[in-house]
Amino acid sequence: MRGGLIEARLDFRKFQKQVLAHQLVRPVFSRVLSIGKLAGRFREVDASHRPEMIWPVFESVDPLKDVMADLIEVRSGFATPQQKMAERGNDFMKTIADFLAFAKEVDGATPLVFDSDPRKVSKTGVANDFGLLGGSEKED
């Protein structure tokens, strides 16, 4: 069942990107943009600007495998955290702002360190830099 569901989702995603985006979303966006420019609302927007489309999120069949696949793609450099959040229907900047507000409210710690950031944390969750743990700095 999982294989069939994944295949159907891939086909539908292709339909969204190849048909809906080109035949519906982009023409409507272009029309709204041109009318808005005539009304003086979008003076600074270039006519070649393309909308960023965030499609509805499919419910996960196996959430753990999906998250691990996303983590591997981000850590390998095949995708950015922004792309992965957009695929799940989240706004990256709002998510980061919410995390910062939470950390500030809870313990006043503003620098966030996620396991998915290979610059700061190893795959096992161990800090790559002793300074991140609040300990003494590394000495050469």
Side-chain angles (χ1 to χ4, degrees):
M1 180 171 137
R2 177 179 160 83
L5 184 59
I6 291 173
E7 187 67 31
R9 288 180 180 179
L10 290 174
D11 289 343
F12 187 69
R13 190 62 78 199
K14 285 181 194 174
F15 173 77
Q16 287 177 321
K17 291 180 180 180
Q18 295 173 356
V19 176
L20 290 179
H22 293 287
Q23 294 181 7
L24 177 68
V25 176
R26 285 187 179 166
V28 169
F29 179 79
S30 177
R31 183 76 165 179
V32 167
L33 188 61
S34 62
I35 291 171
K37 280 189 163 200
L38 288 173
R41 300 268 184 176
F42 304 123
R43 293 174 207 253
E44 67 279 349
V45 179
D46 184 14
S48 64
H49 181 77
R50 294 283 178 238
E52 182 177 338
M53 292 173 238
I54 300 175
W55 302 105
V57 181
F58 290 117
E59 187 174 328
S60 180
V61 176
D62 190 345
L64 180 61
K65 286 182 181 175
D66 291 343
V67 169
M68 291 306 296
D70 289 348
L71 179 64
I72 291 168
E73 283 187 32
V74 169
R75 292 182 65 87
S76 300
F78 294 124
T80 64
Q82 294 90 327
Q83 290 170 327
K84 291 299 162 186
M85 284 190 184
E87 286 177 8
R88 294 180 181 273
N90 298 324
D91 178 11
F92 179 76
M93 295 308 295
K94 182 178 180 330
T95 302
I96 293 300
D98 290 347
F99 272 114
L100 286 171
F102 172 75
K104 195 173 194 179
E105 188 70 32
V106 173
D107 58 8
T110 52
L112 298 174
V113 178
F114 294 103
D115 177 46
S116 61
D117 188 350
R119 297 169 302 152
K120 299 181 180 178
V121 181
S122 71
K123 183 178 178 182
T124 59
V126 177
N128 290 336
D129 182 4
F130 292 114
L132 293 173
L133 298 176
S136 62
E137 295 292 324
K138 287 183 181 178
E139 294 184 20
D140 293 329

